[in-house]
């Protein structure tokens, strides 16, 4: 029996192209080039931040962690569960900083984009020494006030803890009072740190570093374009326009009020890009630089370095159930609902919206769109819907949770499992309280890690099931030919970094991998790749095409139905896991 | 031809104006009538939070949250009922 699969015609409009395997693919296809480029930076960051970390410093850190853990254990054993001031001070001593060399520090400096601004957009680019000093001085009274407040709440926390201790930590009211006052002190510590940082504002001028960044990114991707057999000079000229447009989008997304609304650089890139493309038209000289797929795939391989598998047990089995059991169920049920009930005309749009809504918003949408060959318009539409509902949910959910008198842990788990955007989850959780913020952020982090599994699963399902002729079998070779190879780079980066994360342990992994290699190199680079891709999506999207996908409002109905199911199932699972099966964990958080 | 080009630029300018008017004029007025939104916005800005962050390692508080929860789970030796 002849085995055949559907071979869709080549379409420049899709997020991923199709591949026919040959050895030259390794250096001519964008999937592989994205892998090599992404992994090059992953290994560089791994070397600079993890492998070159001095052995003696690592041994000292391990010893310090051991001592801190011993103090924490002793405190919990003494109090029967109440976390004392000494407990939190020991915990704070486990926070380490990476020690990047000069090259790594320079890399971080040159990756910087426009910063925050309120009234004048130029504040995002330049801050003179005089202005920085004046701002620091202006913030001094607030810092002094926060220091006085910190001293006051610290004393209150000490008194409350002493009272609880006098009763051998057996008086529930005294324990509750001590817990509340210690939490107030912890919140004040965070506020004090922020106030302190505002008294030490450093001058900057990214107008001198942005041209270097442009040349670096332009040269990198132009080299890739040349290997793909296209004209690098034309790409480079167009890239100048794309880069300037991306800077405008980042600047708009950095405005403090817009950030608060949840309208970030991605939304601005799509919105303004579409406006230009559909009015005056995208300039022809910019068109060769609109390599949406190349930017996305490179960004996704870099994102793989943040998919650390040891994160999934950060809050024990309850977190695993809320984030890793509910999420796939919601994803699959929403997709089936879209196909069987709504009869969505596009399976790719259906799965991208389902993943965006159930997993973790934009980053999941990007990974899924690339894995299933979704069109640019489909990705833009699903992100637009997600941003709209995120903006609503991040405000409404804390209000509803407070109105219902829901416990913070339950509320935090509910927020973490349902609001799409990771930043919005932390903000909404924080609005409820410290405990809710910790639970919400941790649940979302565990859900973030699911992106790798989702992208791999969708890629396999698409090549093995969706793209084949009904009733015909697909050989393993055919699956390999059509499999989006960049997913392998994405998973490889995840495996490598997960291995080192496991070796280092939570505290050192946070310092060297998340805050070091991630924050210092890979996250900013990934951010630029995604911003460039969104700018390219905006400049290449046709309103009519977008309206075609929006027909009948089915994408919005799909999102609302899926999100409603997500809200109900997440709340039920969070309640069962945190309050029925594992109340000990809940009490300890 | 010139008329079409001018018209297209007019459309672009109108689009920019509509976006500007919505986000910088209309939306702040709407928020004034929604105290919950205003409080939330105030909280986010005071605490230097970024609701637009895409991934957990773009959100600094996640590190602290993870350590807090890991220690809580580890030290209380959880048991299912």
């Amino acid at each position: 029996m002849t085995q055949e699969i559907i071979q869709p015609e080549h379409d420049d409009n899709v997020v991923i192209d199709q591949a026919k395997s040959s050895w030259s693919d390794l250096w001519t296809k964008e999937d592989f080039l994205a892998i090599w480029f992404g992994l090059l930076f992953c290994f560089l960051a791994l070397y600079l931040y993890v492998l070159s970390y001095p052995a003696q410093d690592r041994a000292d850190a391990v010893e310090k962690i051991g001592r801190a853990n011993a103090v924490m254990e002793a405190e919990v054993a003494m109090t029967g569960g109440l976390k004392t001031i000494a407990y939190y001070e020991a915990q704070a001593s486990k926070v380490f900083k990476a020690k990047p060399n000069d090259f790594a520090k320079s890399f971080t400096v040159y990756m910087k984009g426009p910063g925050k601004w309120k009234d004048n957009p130029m504040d995002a680019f330049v801050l003179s020494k005089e202005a920085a000093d004046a701002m620091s001085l202006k913030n001094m009274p607030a810092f002094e006030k926060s220091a006085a407040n910190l001293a006051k709440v610290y004393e209150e926390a000490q008194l409350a803890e002493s009272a609880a201790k006098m009763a051998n930590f057996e008086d529930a009211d005294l324990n509750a009072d001590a817990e509340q006052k210690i939490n107030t002190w912890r919140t004040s510590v965070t506020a004090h740190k922020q106030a302190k940082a505002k008294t030490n504002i450093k001058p900057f001028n990214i107008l001198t570093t942005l041209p270097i960044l442009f040349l670096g990114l332009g040269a990198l991707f132009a080299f890739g374009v040349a290997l793909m057999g296209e004209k690098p000079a034309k790409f480079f000229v167009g890239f100048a326009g794309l880069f300037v447009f991306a800077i405008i989008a980042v600047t708009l997304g950095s405005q403090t009020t817009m950030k608060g609304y949840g309208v970030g650089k991605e939304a601005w890139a799509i919105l303004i890009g579409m406006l230009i493309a559909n009015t005056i038209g995208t300039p022809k000289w910019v068109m060769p630089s609109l390599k949406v797929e190349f930017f996305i795939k490179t960004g996704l391989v870099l994102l793989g370095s943040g998919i650390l598998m040891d994160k999934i047990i950060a809050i024990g089995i309850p977190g695993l159930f809320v984030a890793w059991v509910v999420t796939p169920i919601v994803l699959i049920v929403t997709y089936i609902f879209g196909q069987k009930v709504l009869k969505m005309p596009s399976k790719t749009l259906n799965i991208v919206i389902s993943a965006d809504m159930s997993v973790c918003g934009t980053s999941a949408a990007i990974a899924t769109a690339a894995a299933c060959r979704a069109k640019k318009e489909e990705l833009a539409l699903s992100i637009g819907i997600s941003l709209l509902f995120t903006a609503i949910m991040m405000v409404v959910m804390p209000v509803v949770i407070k109105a219902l008198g829901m416990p913070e842990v339950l509320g935090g788990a509910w927020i973490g499992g349902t609001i799409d955007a990771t930043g919005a989850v932390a903000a909404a959780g924080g609005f409820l309280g410290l405990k809710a913020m910790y639970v919400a952020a941790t649940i979302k982090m565990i859900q973030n890690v699911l992106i790798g599994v989702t992208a791999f699963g969708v890629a396999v399902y698409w090549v093995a099931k969706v793209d084949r002729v009904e009733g015909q079998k697909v050989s393993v070779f055919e699956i390999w030919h059509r499999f989006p190879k960049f997913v392998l780079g994405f998973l490889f980066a995840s495996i490598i970094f997960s291995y080192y994360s496991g070796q280092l342990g939570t505290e050192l992994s946070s310092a060297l991998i998340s805050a070091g290699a991630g924050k210092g190199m890979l996250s900013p680079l990934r951010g630029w790749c995604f911003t460039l891709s969104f700018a390219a999506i905006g400049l290449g999207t046709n309103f009519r095409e977008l309206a075609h996908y929006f027909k009948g409002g089915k994408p919005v109905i799909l999102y609302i139905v899926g999100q409603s199911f997500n809200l109900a199932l997440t709340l039920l699972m969070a309640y069962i896991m945190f309050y029925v099966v594992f109340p000990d964990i809940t009490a300890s958080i | 031809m010139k008329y079409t080009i001018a018209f297209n630029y007019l459309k672009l300018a109108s689009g920019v104006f509509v976006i500007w008017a919505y986000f910088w004029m209309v939306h702040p007025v709407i928020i004034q009538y929604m105290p919950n939104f205003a409080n939330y916005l105030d909280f986010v800005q005071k605490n230097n939070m970024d609701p637009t962050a895409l991934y957990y390692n773009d959100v600094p508080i996640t590190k602290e949250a993870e350590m807090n929860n890991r220690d809580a789970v580890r030290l209380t030796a959880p048991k299912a009922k």
Side-chain angles (χ1 to χ4, degrees):
Chain A
M1 188 175 165
T2 314
Q3 295 176 347
E4 281 182 4
I5 62 169
I6 298 171
Q7 294 289 341
E9 288 175 11
H10 180 72
D11 186 349
D12 287 335
N13 209 25
V14 296
V15 175
I16 181 173
D17 67 354
Q18 66 179 36
K20 290 176 184 175
S21 304
S22 72
W23 284 107
S24 62
D25 289 355
L26 290 170
W27 59 87
T28 57
K29 290 286 180 185
E30 69 187 8
D31 270 66
F32 283 107
L33 291 170
I35 292 176
W36 308 140
F37 287 179
L39 290 183
L40 172 73
F41 287 101
C42 284
F43 282 115
L44 184 62
L46 195 63
Y47 172 74
L48 290 172
Y49 283 92
V50 180
L51 300 177
S52 62
Y53 191 70
Q56 186 57 47
D57 288 2
R58 188 170 163 174
D60 292 346
V62 170
E63 197 188 323
K64 201 173 175 187
I65 291 166
R67 281 202 305 270
N69 283 340
V71 170
M72 292 165 75
E73 278 165 31
E75 289 294 309
V76 169
M78 178 182 74
T79 63
L82 178 74
K83 292 173 199 153
T84 59
I85 294 170
Y87 174 97
Y88 287 116
E89 284 173 341
Q91 192 175 56
S93 74
K94 295 198 291 178
V95 176
F96 299 95
K97 279 189 177 177
K99 293 185 175 175
N101 63 16
D102 289 343
F103 175 78
K105 280 182 193 167
S106 302
F107 192 94
T108 307
V109 169
Y110 284 104
M111 291 306 290
K112 274 189 181 156
K116 280 195 305 183
W117 60 280
K118 195 171 181 186
D119 303 313
N120 180 4
M122 276 312 288
D123 292 347
F125 295 88
V126 182
L127 183 68
S128 67
K129 189 172 183 319
E130 292 74 25
D133 290 346
M135 285 167 78
S136 297
L137 200 64
K138 194 182 160 194
N139 292 326
M140 276 308 283
F143 167 67
E144 283 159 6
K145 197 178 162 189
S146 89
N149 179 56
L150 182 63
K152 183 175 153 261
V153 294
Y154 181 67
E155 200 181 324
E156 285 171 1
Q158 274 185 320
L159 284 172
E161 188 184 309
S162 298
K165 194 176 179 181
M166 292 283 280
N168 285 327
F169 298 102
E170 284 168 0
D171 186 319
D173 290 340
L174 289 176
N175 286 353
D177 184 51
E179 186 185 350
Q180 190 250 320
K181 289 197 166 113
I182 290 170
N183 278 338
T184 306
W185 162 67
R186 293 173 68 206
T187 309
S188 299
V189 169
T190 309
H192 182 65
K193 277 182 192 166
Q194 285 178 359
K196 192 179 177 185
K198 285 179 184 171
T199 61
N200 189 25
I201 297 170
K202 301 261 191 265
F204 61 85
N205 182 359
I206 63 161
L207 292 176
T208 56
T209 57
L210 282 178
I212 311 287
L213 177 65
F214 158 69
L215 288 173
L217 288 174
L220 177 75
F221 287 113
F223 177 58
V225 164
L227 289 172
M228 285 189 270
E230 294 175 38
K231 291 177 180 167
K234 278 194 171 181
F235 170 85
F236 198 81
V237 171
F239 187 77
L242 182 69
F243 187 77
V244 169
F245 177 66
I247 295 291
I248 293 170
V250 176
T251 308
L252 288 168
S254 304
Q255 205 275 341
T256 49
T257 312
M258 291 302 119
K259 270 193 178 212
Y261 293 166
V263 188
K265 53 185 184 283
E266 297 81 16
W268 285 113
I270 293 175
L271 195 63
I272 305 288
M274 282 200 302
L275 189 63
I276 292 171
N278 293 276
T279 52
I280 57 173
T282 303
K284 279 186 181 169
W285 58 272
V286 174
M287 298 303 271
S289 71
L290 306 186
K291 299 286 176 195
V292 176
E293 308 90 67
F294 196 17
F295 301 139
I296 282 187
K297 290 168 188 170
T298 308
L300 283 169
V301 175
L302 293 166
L303 184 73
S305 66
I307 311 270
L308 306 176
M309 298 309 286
D310 60 326
K311 302 277 180 200
I312 66 171
I313 49 160
I315 196 167
I317 297 170
L320 203 58
F321 267 80
V322 173
W324 274 53
V325 174
V326 172
T327 305
I329 293 173
V330 173
L331 170 61
I332 293 164
V333 169
T334 307
Y335 177 72
I336 292 171
F337 178 81
Q339 290 309 119
K340 304 283 181 193
V341 181
L342 284 181
K343 303 204 182 300
M344 293 280 290
S346 166
K347 286 183 178 178
T348 47
L349 177 61
N350 186 359
I351 194 71
V352 174
I353 291 177
S354 302
D356 184 327
M357 177 274 300
S358 60
V359 185
C360 54
T362 303
S363 43
I366 297 168
T368 312
C372 72
R373 309 176 72 244
K375 290 190 173 181
K376 292 195 293 275
E377 288 79 9
E378 295 175 323
L379 178 58
L381 182 60
S382 64
I383 288 172
I385 295 171
S386 168
L387 290 175
L388 177 69
F389 281 94
T390 297
I392 297 168
M393 286 173 69
M394 71 183 180
V395 179
V396 172
M397 281 190 77
V399 175
V400 171
I401 290 165
K402 275 185 180 174
L404 293 175
M406 205 180 273
E408 275 196 40
V409 172
L410 185 60
W414 199 27
I415 284 173
T418 52
I419 293 180
D420 294 346
T422 307
V425 163
F431 197 54
L432 278 181
L434 194 63
K435 220 180 254 189
M437 180 166 69
Y438 283 166
V439 174
T442 309
I443 294 279
K444 200 72 209 173
M445 177 187 74
I446 300 168
Q447 227 179 26
N448 279 176
V449 178
L450 198 61
I451 291 179
V453 180
T454 306
F456 183 76
V458 168
V460 170
Y461 180 72
W462 237 255
V463 294
K465 294 279 180 190
V466 179
D467 283 347
R468 75 179 169 89
V469 174
E470 207 172 320
Q472 290 181 329
K473 285 182 183 174
V474 183
S475 71
V476 173
F477 289 111
E478 287 289 351
I479 290 176
W480 169 249
H481 288 323
R482 294 186 44 73
F483 189 81
K485 312 292 189 300
F486 82 91
V487 174
L488 300 177
F490 179 53
L491 294 178
F492 184 69
S494 167
I495 291 166
I496 293 291
F497 276 80
S498 294
Y499 169 77
Y500 280 101
S501 181
Q503 293 286 309
L504 290 167
T506 311
E507 295 83 3
L508 274 176
S509 167
S510 281
L512 305 186
I513 293 185
S514 299
K519 198 177 169 192
M521 282 183 80
L522 302 174
S523 291
L525 188 57
R526 181 244 301 159
W528 280 113
C529 289
F530 284 168
T531 305
L532 289 167
S533 68
F534 282 112
I537 286 173
L539 291 170
T541 297
N542 187 307
F543 271 146
R544 282 183 195 152
E545 184 78 5
L546 200 64
H548 163 72
Y549 287 107
F550 203 70
K551 212 174 176 181
K554 284 185 179 180
V556 176
I557 297 169
L558 179 73
Y559 187 95
I560 292 173
V561 172
Q563 189 60 275
S564 303
F565 178 58
N566 192 18
L567 284 163
L569 194 61
T570 303
L571 183 60
L572 179 68
M573 183 64 86
Y575 177 75
I576 292 172
M577 296 312 294
F578 281 102
Y579 289 88
V580 179
V581 187
F582 293 101
D584 293 350
I585 288 181
T586 310
S588 72
I589 293 170
Chain B
M1 181 68 179
K2 274 184 183 173
Y3 172 79
T4 312
I5 293 170
F7 184 64
N8 286 341
Y9 273 96
L10 190 65
K11 282 199 288 186
L12 175 65
S14 307
V16 170
F17 175 75
V18 168
I19 291 169
W20 175 81
Y22 178 74
F23 283 112
W24 271 270
M25 304 285 285
V26 180
H27 206 69
V29 173
I30 295 172
I31 285 171
Q32 280 184 351
Y33 293 96
M34 299 165 75
N36 287 322
F37 202 132
N39 290 342
Y40 171 81
L41 206 59
D42 191 43
F43 169 81
V44 165
Q45 289 179 352
K46 263 188 190 163
N47 289 281
N48 204 20
M49 290 179 143
D50 179 8
T52 66
L54 286 189
Y55 202 61
Y56 77 86
N57 50 16
D58 302 327
V59 182
I61 198 68
T62 308
K63 196 168 78 171
E64 199 180 311
E66 184 192 357
M67 194 183 284
N68 185 76
N69 290 329
R70 269 189 197 273
D71 284 337
V73 171
R74 182 174 57 85
L75 293 171
T76 52
K79 296 175 210 70
K81 268 191 174 176

